[in-house]
Amino acid sequence: MIKKNIISFFSYNYFAQKFLNYFFFFTLRKFLIKTINFFFKNYNENYFFKNELKNSSIDKKGWSIIFLTYNVNENLKPKIKKYKKIFKSRNHEIIILANFNKKNISIKGVRLINLNSKKITLGRKRNIAVKLSNYSNLIMSLDYFVINKFKLKNIEREILKNDLLIPKIKTLDKKRYLDWVFLDYPKIGKSLCPYNLKDRRYMFFHGSYLILKKKFIKKNLFSNYLDHQQGEDVDWSLKVRKKIKFKLSKNIDITIERFSYESEVLNDKKFLKNSVTLIKNA
């Protein structure tokens, strides 16, 4: 309990985070992680996908829907079916990028790319997916999200004016998930962003589900050397948030296939206090 409280304090207390940042704790941590991953998770996509990467320089108008997963599973099929129905009148492709396909599953009309390796970071998987995609707009999703609402025409209008769209996300028990999140809001720190708050300078773009303009992400890739739970999406957010045009879209609602009690963040007292304080003052 003491250890958990200490970790919570340094993770969600604004001034504790500033203290750690002042003494370069995050910079040093990131450097060490990147160094380790450079030696142990340095997948060479230029060798394995030489021809594909050579042929993917021109982006056609349309949508690339990308699922990132560790091992291909049958439960992707109904999710893919929904996307096919939504995008049936649009130029599109569906890509599954997986570390493994242990059951040799094949899905009609889907580009299934088996990396056949665990020596690859999530940041590099994201970048490979971007490079191998063929269309001008991207949906990049982890494999545990279900669409509830997707107003395609409205989303197409929004992505024309923005580089990134972020959806609303609910848990299986209808609680708010980590959709619109602040990373370092002054004197509060990490917290949920109130849906009605207009000051969004301190946003963190949770990487679990992103709608992206490919033109932007091609020039602003993720770090190849940061993995899941190593802050690849935090690192990317800090890199792009001053220049990216983004919108918190109300035209897409999705559900994460998790209950709220399964999330350490959603059940952390300090994170909840930060969120309640900010929402009350919004």
Side-chain angles (χ1 to χ4, degrees):
M1 181 63 73
I2 294 175
K3 181 182 177 181
K4 185 177 180 181
N5 287 335
I6 292 172
I7 292 172
S8 174
F9 174 75
F10 281 104
S11 297
Y12 302 111
N13 182 278
Y14 174 77
F15 298 102
Q17 288 275 293
K18 285 291 182 183
F19 173 83
L20 292 175
N21 189 54
Y22 182 80
F23 286 99
F24 302 102
F25 173 82
F26 298 118
T27 303
L28 179 60
R29 176 182 176 270
K30 185 166 66 174
F31 174 77
L32 290 173
I33 290 171
K34 284 185 173 183
T35 301
I36 293 168
N37 286 339
F38 176 81
F39 288 105
F40 296 102
K41 290 190 174 183
N42 199 350
Y43 186 93
N44 187 354
E45 69 270 19
N46 293 316
Y47 174 78
F48 292 104
F49 298 103
K50 183 178 180 181
N51 293 329
E52 290 92 334
L53 291 171
K54 189 184 294 184
N55 296 329
S56 63
S57 57
I58 300 173
D59 300 325
K60 296 174 284 187
K61 185 179 179 181
W63 290 85
S64 294
I65 300 134
I66 301 161
F67 290 92
L68 302 176
T69 188
Y70 185 77
N71 183 39
V72 183
N73 198 295
E74 292 283 350
N75 66 6
L76 281 172
K77 290 184 177 180
K79 296 168 186 174
I80 288 168
K81 188 177 180 181
K82 275 193 174 184
Y83 279 101
K84 285 183 176 180
K85 185 177 180 180
I86 292 168
F87 287 91
K88 64 182 179 180
S89 63
R90 302 291 193 276
N91 292 328
H92 73 279
E93 65 179 346
I94 298 176
I95 301 171
I96 298 174
L97 190 66
N99 291 66
F100 297 101
N101 186 6
K102 295 178 181 178
K103 295 182 179 179
N104 293 317
I105 293 171
S106 62
I107 304 174
K108 187 177 179 181
V110 173
R111 287 176 65 193
L112 205 161
I113 301 168
N114 180 11
L115 300 171
N116 199 29
S117 174
K118 61 181 179 181
K119 295 181 179 180
I120 182 169
T121 64
L122 180 55
R124 189 181 287 273
K125 276 177 74 174
R126 293 183 187 280
N127 294 340
I128 291 172
V130 171
K131 292 174 183 178
L132 292 178
S133 63
N134 290 310
Y135 289 98
S136 56
N137 299 315
L138 309 179
I139 296 172
M140 188 179 293
S141 173
L142 300 185
D143 61 0
Y144 40 75
F145 287 95
V146 177
I147 293 175
N148 302 317
K149 178 179 77 174
F150 198 103
K151 296 182 178 180
L152 181 55
K153 288 184 179 179
N154 291 346
I155 289 168
E156 287 179 327
R157 282 193 286 268
E158 288 177 333
I159 200 64
L160 277 175
K161 299 177 182 178
N162 295 279
D163 304 311
L164 169 68
L165 304 179
I166 309 169
K168 288 184 176 181
I169 307 176
K170 297 287 187 182
T171 59
L172 288 173
D173 49 339
K174 308 299 181 183
K175 300 291 179 64
R176 182 178 171 183
Y177 189 61
L178 305 172
D179 45 12
W180 305 358
V181 181
F182 280 134
L183 181 64
D184 49 359
Y185 196 89
K187 299 182 181 180
I188 289 180
K190 294 178 184 175
S191 64
L192 291 172
C193 167
Y195 289 142
N196 63 335
L197 194 67
K198 293 183 180 180
D199 185 357
R200 294 166 181 167
R201 290 174 291 168
Y202 308 99
M203 289 294 298
F204 151 57
F205 309 119
H206 200 281
S208 54
Y209 194 101
L210 302 170
I211 301 175
L212 292 153
K213 189 175 286 177
K214 188 177 178 182
K215 184 179 179 181
F216 180 86
I217 188 65
K218 276 174 72 175
K219 295 178 181 177
N220 300 276
L221 294 170
F222 286 78
S223 169
N224 281 328
Y225 303 110
L226 289 175
D227 205 355
H228 178 58
Q229 296 185 334
Q230 293 179 347
E232 32 68 57
D233 47 4
V234 174
D235 178 73
W236 185 76
S237 298
L238 290 173
K239 183 173 78 171
V240 305
R241 70 180 181 179
K242 288 185 179 180
K243 58 183 175 181
I244 193 170
K245 294 179 182 178
F246 70 94
K247 184 174 183 180
L248 310 175
S249 180
K250 296 178 181 178
N251 290 303
I252 173 170
D253 287 335
I254 57 177
T255 296
I256 182 171
E257 294 176 317
R258 303 282 189 277
F259 289 96
S260 59
Y261 58 77
E262 296 179 83
S263 169
E264 286 187 19
V265 178
L266 292 179
N267 290 281
D268 187 282
K269 291 180 180 179
K270 289 183 174 57
F271 179 80
L272 291 172
K273 183 180 177 182
N274 291 349
S275 300
V276 169
T277 301
L278 193 55
I279 289 169
K280 280 183 178 179
N281 297 328

